[in-house]
Amino acid sequence: MSTYSDASGAIAPLPKVRRATGFGGVLPALAFVTIFFIAPVAVLLLRSVLEPVPGFGNYAQLIGSATYLKIFANTFIVSGLVTVISLLIGFPVAWALAIMPRRLTSVIFAILLLSMWTNLLARTYAWMVLLQRTGLINKMLIGMGLIDKPLALVNNLTGVTIGMTYIMLPFIILPLYGVIRKIDPSTLQAAALCGANRWQCLTRVLLPLAMPGMAAGALMVFVMSLGYFVTPSLLGGTANMMLAELIAQFVQSLVNWGMGGAAALVLLVVTLSLYAVQLRFVGNQNPGGR
């Protein structure tokens, strides 16, 4: 039995702490999930198979239309590109943050957080100014002699990829930094002492140890990119629609809740499937290799 000393110095048993047992302790959480997640999804599922007529016509229309398939392809291609580019840029940045002096790390973190806290609409409009034909980027490329005429960087998927990569970078740098920070530097030193060159240290030691952070960051960026609305609608134009814009058009412009629900549920199923895959292959690994 656990004891403690009271004010008089006498030894007394610790008071028993009553622990919640059965379903009583989880009922509030279950009620919250049911009301705010399961019920809306159930309503959406019902509307997708009941409106405008009962059946799976909405799903058949989504799969059978070349226009909608192109929108699905746009969504997955852009999301995949944004994820890969964010990973390629974010990994060296996270590594540099993990090894640089703490004061400099704090400054860079402040910049990253400031960019995250800045209004999304303002950041997207800023990229519209930078990427337009008379914008700073085209002027710099022409001034450096790399191109002869301005590139088309807005109203297409190139502009969407650039803008979304900038917005998603903090979401992959932060989990990567958390994992890389926990990696014992002596592990890399031991690999070097055993004869591994820099490339082997990177590919056989650092990358496997950082894999949980890479997987978590990549999944977060990919899933968020699938449902992004503001940046694709402003930088992509009407000819390069993505799935979130399609859902908004179904619900707001066409008032077609059946098709909107079907598209939203496809997005939800893909998201949950990716999360299950992530849990299956990297969810149980110990971050940092400890």
Side-chain angles (χ1 to χ4, degrees), residues 51-92:
E51 298 179 10
V53 293
F56 294 95
N58 292 323
Y59 294 96
Q61 192 174 346
L62 276 178
I63 298 173
S65 168
T67 302
Y68 297 147
L69 289 180
K70 180 186 175 185
I71 293 173
F72 277 102
N74 287 344
T75 306
F76 285 97
I77 290 173
V78 170
S79 299
L81 283 175
V82 169
T83 303
V84 172
I85 297 172
S86 298
L87 201 56
L88 292 176
I89 299 175
F91 190 89

Side-chain angles (χ1 to χ4, degrees), residues 276-285:
V277 171
Q278 194 261 352
L279 285 180
R280 172 66 178 82
F281 290 101
V282 297
N284 295 325
Q285 293 186 20

Side-chain angles (χ1 to χ4, degrees), residues 14-273:
L14 283 173
K16 291 184 178 179
V17 178
R18 190 171 184 178
R19 302 177 62 182
T21 56
F23 288 102
V26 298
L27 275 180
L30 286 177
F32 181 86
V33 172
T34 302
I35 294 172
F36 293 103
F37 182 75
I38 297 178
V41 172
V43 171
L44 204 58
L45 175 61
L46 287 175
R47 298 192 75 161
S48 69
V49 296
L50 294 177
E51 298 179 10
V53 293
F56 294 95
N58 292 323
Y59 294 96
Q61 192 174 346
L62 276 178
I63 298 173
S65 168
T67 302
Y68 297 147
L69 289 180
K70 180 186 175 185
I71 293 173
F72 277 102
N74 287 344
T75 306
F76 285 97
I77 290 173
V78 170
S79 299
L81 283 175
V82 169
T83 303
V84 172
I85 297 172
S86 298
L87 201 56
L88 292 176
I89 299 175
F91 190 89
V93 174
W95 170 252
L97 286 171
I99 61 174
M100 66 176 47
R102 185 174 296 273
R103 183 172 297 180
L104 187 56
T105 302
S106 301
V107 173
I108 295 179
F109 263 120
I111 296 172
L112 280 175
L113 294 175
L114 188 64
S115 70
M116 290 177 64
W117 294 336
T118 305
N119 183 273
L120 177 62
L121 202 57
R123 284 183 286 169
T124 304
Y125 276 125
W127 273 109
M128 289 182 68
V129 173
L130 290 173
L131 295 175
Q132 60 186 343
R133 296 181 70 85
T134 57
L136 180 63
I137 293 178
N138 269 320
K139 285 183 178 178
M140 285 180 59
L141 293 176
I142 293 175
M144 295 168 66
L146 298 177
I147 56 175
D148 297 326
K149 56 183 181 180
L151 299 175
L153 298 177
V154 288
N155 295 325
N156 52 36
L157 294 182
T158 303
V160 175
T161 304
I162 294 173
M164 287 181 62
T165 300
Y166 161 76
I167 292 168
M168 293 296 173
L169 268 177
F171 296 99
I172 207 165
I173 291 175
L174 294 178
L176 266 175
Y177 170 79
V179 172
I180 294 176
R181 181 79 176 168
K182 294 179 180 177
I183 297 176
D184 191 346
S186 62
T187 307
L188 297 175
Q189 295 173 359
L193 289 174
C194 290
N197 55 35
R198 291 185 176 181
W199 176 251
Q200 290 170 329
C201 287
L202 173 67
T203 57
R204 298 188 181 184
V205 180
L206 184 58
L207 287 181
L209 290 176
M211 187 55 69
M214 294 170 63
L219 178 66
M220 185 186 304
V221 168
F222 188 78
V223 169
M224 291 177 65
S225 299
L226 288 177
Y228 238 65
F229 175 73
V230 174
T231 305
S233 64
L234 292 179
L235 294 177
T238 55
N240 301 287
M241 188 179 291
M242 290 178 64
L243 190 52
E245 299 172 78
L246 178 66
I247 295 172
Q249 189 177 72
F250 277 139
V251 174
Q252 296 176 353
S253 303
L254 304 177
V255 198
N256 188 341
W257 280 92
M259 288 294 288
L265 277 170
V266 169
L267 182 60
L268 179 65
V269 169
V270 172
T271 303
L272 293 178
S273 302

